[in-house]
């Protein structure tokens, strides 16, 4: 067992994730509705990501749960107790924000100790617990450093230690990785998940990055215009998007002109089963994943316009005779050239579809 794992198991012994329930939560900002009836139930120890485009209400939902924002309707409960009128410091929640927000005049250790000091924990216990939290984030030897002596990733680890040292029942993370470069982002994201799993702490993580959400969360809630459009496991969202918005937002999709006839999608002479709810017949856009299109001897004529090597796979773009552009995901040993004539075929997997815009 390494130091970080040992430290987190000591914390885990005293940390138990809470249930979180948001029911019909509404928030207005001077007449403008930011949250339009949010229903979200999070199980103890679950890691849920709130995913959605800018302005859809992710941060507002997180701030409502934390108590930083007062709500205009609905209920919020933690472990079955309504906390709508409970102030921030009584909700037993740890928070990490996008900006590291460490106190610049305090060392890392003092930053981590801060929450315990506010809770009037004795100095010796404070120090022991803060050191343990620093070990947990892999920075046990950096307690003496000030924020300006730490990298962005290290500062964010200190912020995480500071959020967890008080042994909160819920952890809220608001875009904690977006200021970091790509490699550190992936490392820290995996580390957050490891620590969260070790501690069993109920976690809500806000991000606009779908790859990040799908990579770490047990379930992802896709938000749109103040509502949760769909919530499910990453596999459910990717494989069975309930709406065109989710299909378009989660993962890559080709937009294929099609007709809906008797509940089945007809595209270029091929019939594809429809995912999600039944919709009225008519012209639609079908959302077809790049891995659901393949090269074929028989198929739609197309001309290659681009092809990118992505390590373990390749994505090739090709234009059909009617100008529709399709992206195909395929093995790296097929290497189409720009301008090459190819034939494409749908593999036949079900697709989502929405009214053509
Ligand atoms: P982003 O990814 O850009 O941070 P978000 O999904 O977190 O976006 P919110 O910050 O929750 O979105 O904002 C939701 C809506 O509420 C937006 O229309 C925003 O302009 C508005 N809003 C947020 N905070 C305030 C505020 N303090 N006063 C007025 N309007 C606000």
């Amino acid at each position: 067992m390494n130091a970080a794992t040992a430290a987190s198991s000591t914390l885990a012994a005293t940390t138990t994730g809470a249930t979180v329930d948001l029911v019909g939560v509404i928030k207005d900002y001077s007449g403008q509705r930011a949250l339009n009836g949010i229903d979200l139930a999070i199980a103890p120890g679950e890691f849920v990501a709130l995913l959605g485009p800018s302005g859809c209400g992710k941060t507002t939902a997180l701030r409502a749960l934390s108590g930083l924002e007062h709500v205009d309707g609905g209920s919020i409960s933690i472990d079955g107790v309504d906390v709508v009128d409970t102030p921030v410091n009584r909700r037993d929640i740890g928070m990490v924000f996008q900006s590291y927000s460490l106190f610049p005049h305090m060392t890392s250790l003092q930053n981590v100790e801060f929450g315990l000091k506010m809770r009037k924990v004795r100095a010796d216990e404070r120090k022991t617990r803060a050191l343990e939290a620093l070990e947990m984030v892999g920075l046990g030897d950096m307690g003496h450093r000030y924020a300006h002596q730490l990298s962005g990733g290290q500062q964010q680890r200190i912020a995480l230690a500071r959020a967890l040292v008080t042994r909160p029942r819920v952890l809220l993370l608001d875009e904690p990785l977006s200021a970091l470069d790509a490699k550190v982002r992936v490392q820290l994201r995996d580390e957050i998940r490891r620590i969260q799993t070790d501690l069993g702490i109920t976690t809500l993580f806000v991000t606009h990055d779908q790859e990040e959400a799908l990579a770490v969360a047990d379930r992802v809630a896709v938000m749109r215009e103040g509502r949760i459009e769909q919530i499910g496991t990453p596999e459910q969202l990717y494989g069975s998007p309930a709406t065109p918005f989710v299909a378009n937002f989660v993962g890559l999709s080709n937009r294929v002109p099609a007709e809906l006839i008797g509940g089945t999608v007809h595209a270029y002479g091929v019939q594809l089963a429809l995912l999600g709810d039944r919709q009225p017949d008519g012209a639609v856009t079908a959302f077809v994943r790049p891995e659901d299109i393949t090269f074929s001897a028989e198929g739609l004529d197309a001309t290659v316009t681009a092809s990118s090597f992505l390590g373990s796979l390749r994505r090739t773009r090709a234009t059909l005779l009617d100008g529709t552009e399709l992206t195909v995901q395929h093995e790296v040993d097929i290497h189409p050239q720009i301008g090459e004539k190819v034939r494409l075929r749908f593999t036949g997997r079900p697709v989502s579809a929405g009214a053509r815009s």
Side-chain angles (χ1 to χ4, degrees), residues 147-189:
H148 73 272
Q149 298 170 316
L150 297 164
S151 70
Q154 289 167 338
Q155 289 185 57
Q156 206 55 319
R157 279 165 197 261
I158 303 289
L160 182 63
R162 187 176 62 178
L164 291 171
V165 76
T166 56
R167 298 168 184 160
R169 291 180 302 164
V170 180
L171 177 64
L172 303 182
L173 306 164
D174 191 359
E175 304 258 9
L177 307 170
S178 27
L180 305 172
D181 74 46
K183 201 165 172 191
V184 178
R185 208 155 65 206
V186 172
Q187 278 170 355
L188 192 53
R189 153 187 116 187

Side-chain angles (χ1 to χ4, degrees), residues 29 32 34 53-60 175:
Y29 287 116
Q32 198 201 336
S54 182
C56 70
K58 306 179 295 292
T59 296
T60 305
E175 304 258 9

